[in-house]
Amino acid sequence: MNTRHRWRTAAFAALLLTPAPLRAQTVSPHLSRQLDTWYKRAQRSARGRWGIAIADALGNVLWSRNPDQPLVPASTAKIFTTGFARSRLGGDARIATRVLGTGFLDSSNGTWNGTWTLELNGDPSLEDPAHAGPRLYDLAVQLAATGIRRIEGPMIVSSEAGPATATFPTGWPARHRGAVFAPLIGPLTVHENIITAWVAPTRQAGHRPRLLDDAPAGVRTMIVNEAITRTGKRSHLHLLARRNGWVLTGWIGTRARMRQVKAVAYDPERVLELAWAQALRQAGVEWDPDPRTVLAPSDGRIRTLAEVFSPTLDTLAADIDRRSLNLGAELLLLWAAGPDAPADSLTAHVARVTGIEADQFRLVDGSGLSDLDRVTPRLQVIYLARIPTLPATRAFPLLLPANGTGTLTKLRLGLPGAGVLRAKTGTLGNVAAIAGYLGRPDGVFIISLLYNGRRTAAARQAEAHLCKLLGARGKVTPDDFDLPPDTPPDQIAEPADSTGTLPAH
């Protein structure tokens, strides 16, 4: 975990981690009256269903309203996925992306004689928009470094867990199809399975705008430009899917700045093919996709011709939670659970950690985008209390965004410092939720605020006000908790597997 965060946390950890105050933590009568008043106002401003639990660091509920009401959690469900992946794989695990080959190198002309395969294993950071993960160009450069100057034959894509595919999750609402926050999910992931075009106007109205760049590099050949430049500063651009690519439609003003337009990669394999071809060209490797030119390999041994790795699981998870990246959360779940019924494995993990029967809640995905997910505030605070006490997940709170970062940025909390609140937000059309840790002088409050209803903006304001009320004299939350003496041995989380490969199932 980041050294700077550890140093800053250590200044407050001695008080926060002292066992006696944590066990004796209470809600004072004065604070209880303030909470009662807050709730009455929240009910008036945001009519709907509320479920609230405020607990101590051991998960004992200190103040609540409807703590056992099953509600849609939205992206606060990602706390379960993050904890499950961390406990199953370990914080240092990495995902490998490889070029595998069967054949031999003809050193006379640099041709790889035989078959080759791109092995993708669902790395959410592969060609990611922030350039924080590995690139296809890195693989191509490694091929060139081994002396390969030419590869032949069609691109074959595989994964360690089986076929390399990407599909729309069955648990996600159909209305989200085509939305950039709901791309196709699977081992076949490149650039988060979205495409991006950068568009700039021409100086004169009536002309097609300019396509300045694309991501991943190479996809612009699939974009037909039917947009127009108009007089003015505004723009209204869209990338619409068509049979063989996308159409750029709409308009951009002559005085407008460059615009970024995104769309879902509905055919990730085709996008990968274009991006791989571009990477090979940049690395000086020629690719002839004609299958008739491929020679039979000399033996059947599979060689690793090139290999890159994702950032560590902790780095991936922290970024996924900070950005509330649905694709990333689903890939974390697949990585930890494998392709067979991953939501069932996640449900079993949550039941095991909390001691709450699986029929008392429902998790059908790893991101919280599904309308079918149901959790209770009590379940969330118990999970958040227990997961940092387990050996494989002691630094769990630091994987959640701190106040002032990520999806918490827009909440004007007025807390005394970054890290007083570490929490995950959840937002859907009818959901506003926050779940996480709030540091206080007398210990840590664990909070779960779930609202289901139409007035999500008012509910979010009310939740922000409650966080400010509870954390006005806050302290930085600790990076690990003391293991409660009454934690039964059979509730220690799954053994960590830090090999960086998909576990066997």
Side-chain angles (χ1 to χ4, degrees), residues 333-354:
L333 179 57
L334 287 173
W335 186 14
D340 298 329
D344 290 346
S345 297
L346 178 62
T347 298
H349 162 79
V350 174
R352 186 165 180 247
V353 171
T354 62

Side-chain angles (χ1 to χ4, degrees), residues 429-450:
N430 60 343
V431 180
I434 300 177
Y437 308 90
L438 201 154
R440 291 166 51 86
D442 57 342
V444 174
F445 274 172
I446 299 177
I447 62 173
S448 172
L449 316 178
L450 299 179

Side-chain angles (χ1 to χ4, degrees), residues 81 84-85 89 121-122 161 165 185-187 189 327-343 366 502-503 505:
T81 305
F84 176 48
L89 299 165
N121 294 305
T165 60
I185 305 297
T189 295
L327 172 135
E330 298 297 343
L331 292 180
L332 280 186
L333 179 57
L334 287 173
W335 186 14
D340 298 329
L502 290 167
H505 293 272

Side-chain angles (χ1 to χ4, degrees), residues 383-399:
Y383 184 86
L384 288 167
R386 284 194 175 274
I387 197 67
T389 70
L390 306 179
T393 48
R394 286 198 178 276
F396 178 82
L398 288 187
L399 299 179

Side-chain angles (χ1 to χ4, degrees), residues 13-312:
L15 174 62
L16 294 174
L17 297 178
T18 304
L22 291 177
R23 287 194 290 269
Q25 199 174 359
T26 61
V27 169
S28 68
H30 174 67
L31 179 56
S32 181
R33 288 191 296 270
Q34 288 181 305
L35 293 173
D36 291 341
T37 301
W38 169 85
Y39 184 62
K40 291 177 182 178
R41 292 176 178 172
Q43 281 187 307
R44 289 196 298 267
S45 63
R47 295 185 181 277
R49 293 185 297 160
W50 283 92
I52 304 166
I54 300 172
D56 63 17
L58 301 182
N60 301 311
V61 176
L62 306 176
W63 187 91
S64 66
R65 291 294 183 271
N66 308 315
D68 298 309
Q69 168 124 350
L71 295 168
V72 180
S75 283
T76 60
K78 289 182 175 70
I79 62 176
F80 303 125
T81 305
T82 302
F84 176 48
R86 182 58 152 81
S87 65
R88 182 67 71 89
L89 299 165
D92 294 328
R94 297 174 185 266
I95 301 175
T97 302
R98 304 180 178 95
V99 181
L100 304 176
T102 302
F104 62 94
L105 173 64
D106 185 343
S107 57
S108 65
N109 57 17
T111 298
W112 176 257
N113 290 303
T115 60
W116 57 274
T117 301
L118 278 176
E119 183 191 273
L120 272 63
N121 294 305
D123 178 1
S125 70
L126 180 64
E127 294 283 343
D128 71 302
H131 298 277
R135 326 300 293 174
L136 293 171
Y137 176 72
D138 301 332
L139 290 172
V141 167
Q142 288 184 36
L143 291 182
T146 65
I148 296 177
R149 294 292 179 266
R150 177 183 173 89
I151 59 174
E152 300 173 337
M155 182 183 72
I156 301 172
V157 188
S158 68
S159 76
E160 289 183 351
T165 60
T167 59
F168 190 82
T170 56
W172 284 4
R175 67 179 183 275
H176 294 321
R177 284 184 181 272
V180 293
F181 59 80
L184 303 184
I185 305 297
L188 179 48
T189 295
V190 59
H191 196 255
E192 298 177 359
N193 282 346
I194 61 172
I195 66 129
T196 306
W198 284 265
V199 184
T202 55
R203 292 183 177 180
Q204 293 184 344
H207 294 275
R208 301 293 182 199
R210 295 172 293 154
L211 288 178
L212 298 182
D213 204 356
D214 58 346
V219 297
R220 72 170 67 192
T221 59
M222 296 180 68
I223 299 175
V224 176
N225 186 359
E226 295 184 358
I228 198 74
T229 302
R230 292 182 180 178
T231 302
K233 292 183 178 180
R234 298 183 178 181
S235 63
H236 188 73
L237 298 168
H238 296 282
L239 277 173
L240 303 180
R242 60 180 293 174
R243 183 177 182 85
N244 297 314
W246 296 267
V247 178
L248 177 66
T249 64
W251 50 270
I252 184 170
T254 53
R255 291 176 291 154
R257 295 182 178 180
M258 180 181 66
R259 295 290 189 262
Q260 186 184 86
V261 192
K262 297 181 179 181
V264 169
Y266 65 90
D267 186 355
E269 186 167 356
R270 177 58 177 157
V271 171
L272 173 64
E273 184 177 31
L274 292 171
W276 178 235
Q278 179 72 8
L280 289 171
R281 282 192 293 270
Q282 291 177 339
V285 178
E286 182 183 355
W287 174 24
D288 180 1
D290 187 348
R292 292 173 299 177
T293 63
V294 178
L295 299 178
S298 59
D299 58 51
R301 186 164 64 92
I302 298 175
R303 298 171 173 84
T304 298
L305 305 179
E307 186 175 43
V308 293
F309 293 93
S310 72
T312 65

